[in-house]
Amino acid sequence: MPNQNYNRKQASQYDKIIKENLEVTLPVIIRDVLGLNILLSEELPDDVQHTKERKPDALKKVTDTDGNTYVLQVEFQVEDEKEMVYRMAEYNIMLMRRYQLPIKQYVVFLKDTSPIMPTSLETEHLKFDFMLIRISEASYKLFLRSNNPEVKMLGILGNFGKEDSYKAVKSIIDGIQSITKGDFAESRYFKQLRIFVQLRSNVEQQFEKAMETVTKFFKEENDFLYRKGEEKKSHAVVENLIVKLGLTDEQAAEVAEVDLAYVKKVRAELSGK
């Protein structure tokens, strides 16, 4: 039971990240991973049925470049779920009934393992199947071409090919860092990236090694900014002690707890104004 709860918690983490970034990442996934050329796209309500516990991850009415209009459903899956085929079949019937349009369904598998979940059903009166796509078969460079950090992040789930894994991971980290504005946003993306790394085999060590270069940079930068800030504060204190209180250099140095030479430097700057 504890292991089951842990797996459920992990799955919810991936699900949360996917949903947060879906608006930006979905068009790239549709084009580069699913290989669909969509001309028009319209969001559809995801409340397919009120009694269902889970809503579709992505549901759109689309028209492709050949003029075909259909309902497109995309699900993102971490676990190799043997019951997935029944869930997709349920969606298929409900969507067909509601929209009276052809239905195309894709499950994008996020781990770098080979899923064995059934993708088709066939009985005497029913024949059904859905497309199962492994994101690890798509080149990670497809995602690095994007100018969005959310898309670049997906590179960690892609295929490194013959590329050295450390080099590939480092290029993903550098790519995210180069286009992200602000420490808060960068921290958010790197936290999400760290979670995605858990879906890859034998990459965590390279990721931690590559992240060391980033954290060292930020530590040095933050230390530098801290020193600059402290220097500004000290300068203002010493200036006030000299101008407003008329203290001598020795007195100002003692009160401000700075070197005498620093006080003399501030006094010289004031004299030059």
Side-chain angles (χ1 to χ4, degrees), residues 1-10 79:
M1 183 66 76
N3 191 46
Q4 190 177 6
N5 290 337
Y6 175 74
N7 290 340
R8 197 174 292 133
K9 183 180 178 183
Q10 267 196 318
E79 297 304 322

Side-chain angles (χ1 to χ4, degrees), residues 38 66 72 77 152-153 185 191 207 213 222 229 251 253 263 268 272:
I38 302 302
D66 293 326
L72 174 64
Q77 191 69 15
K152 285 185 184 292
M153 194 191 311
K191 282 178 182 176
F207 174 76
T213 61
N222 289 338
Q251 289 170 330
V263 177

Side-chain angles (χ1 to χ4, degrees), residues 34 36 70 72-76 88 104-108 130-133:
L34 306 185
L36 300 176
Y70 54 89
L72 174 64
Q73 180 192 1
V74 183
E75 297 294 318
F76 297 91
M88 297 303 285
K104 281 194 179 183
Q105 296 170 289
Y106 293 84
V107 172
V108 180
F130 67 89
M131 290 288 292
L132 179 60
I133 305 291

Side-chain angles (χ1 to χ4, degrees), residues 161-176:
K162 295 181 179 179
E163 190 90 66
D164 175 75
S165 57
Y166 172 77
K167 186 178 176 183
V169 171
K170 184 72 164 61
S171 65
I172 294 166
I173 290 172
D174 290 344
I176 292 172

